[in-house]
Amino acid sequence: MNSERLNHLFALLSEATGVLDIAYHRVADGRINPVLKTNTDALGIERWKSVHAQSPVYIAHDILLADLVREPRAMAIQDVKNDSRSSEEFFLFGIDSLLIIPVLKGATVEGIVVVASIGQLHEFSEQEIANAERLVEQYIDIF
């Protein structure tokens, strides 16, 4: 995987959404595995990796991820605290709003790009979601 190009994708996604915390997770062994994240004051890379190591996210135990793997599409949660699909892990990271974009190889979800608003709600517009999906598709070769 090309970290430089992935960081460039993160910068473009941040520009398209106005959200700074962006990460890529590989899907393997029934769970998401952290690969790379933007380093921000809200959530640094070491804390992100540490929380994931202590609290693995298993797809079968996560309503949103199980649905995304079954029917791949971008999914947004505008208000994590008031959405029944939110998992405990969202709260561990202090996420307020979330956009998840599946990374597909054929029909299989190989990973997810997560755009997480931490510290404030973010209303992901249809345009932002469409632009984010388009950007991930343009960079599919880096995953």
Side-chain angles (χ1 to χ4, degrees):
M1 181 188 49
N2 185 327
S3 297
E4 186 177 316
R5 287 203 62 222
L6 189 53
N7 279 319
H8 187 254
L9 170 61
F10 290 172
L12 293 173
L13 288 167
S14 182
E15 188 178 300
T17 63
V19 175
L20 300 177
D21 282 282
I22 302 172
Y24 173 64
H25 302 78
R26 189 171 290 120
V27 172
D29 303 320
R31 66 186 188 121
I32 61 171
N33 301 278
V35 175
L36 188 66
K37 181 198 172 304
T38 55
N39 194 26
T40 64
D41 290 340
L43 180 60
I45 293 171
E46 292 308 313
R47 180 168 175 262
W48 175 68
K49 286 184 178 181
S50 173
V51 171
H52 270 293
Q54 294 170 7
S55 302
V57 179
Y58 291 94
I59 293 166
H61 302 145
D62 186 293
I63 295 167
L64 190 70
L65 291 176
D67 189 32
L68 183 133
V69 168
R70 190 174 41 256
E71 190 178 324
R73 68 202 179 286
M75 302 178 113
I77 294 183
Q78 310 295 3
D79 184 354
V80 165
K81 291 177 185 75
N82 293 304
D83 193 305
S84 62
R85 300 171 297 167
S86 296
S87 69
E88 181 181 318
E89 290 76 23
F90 298 165
F91 300 103
L92 291 174
F93 291 111
I95 297 171
D96 292 295
S97 302
L98 183 72
L99 172 61
I100 302 174
I101 304 152
V103 174
L104 298 170
K105 296 286 171 110
T108 304
V109 177
E110 296 279 325
I112 57 172
V113 173
V114 178
V115 180
S117 181
I118 298 174
Q120 67 181 25
L121 291 174
H122 181 85
E123 186 77 24
F124 291 100
S125 70
E126 288 183 31
Q127 187 64 49
E128 286 175 334
I129 295 167
N131 287 342
E133 285 181 299
R134 181 182 46 77
L135 286 167
V136 170
E137 287 173 16
Q138 288 175 350
Y139 279 75
I140 197 70
D141 64 303
I142 64 173
F143 298 105

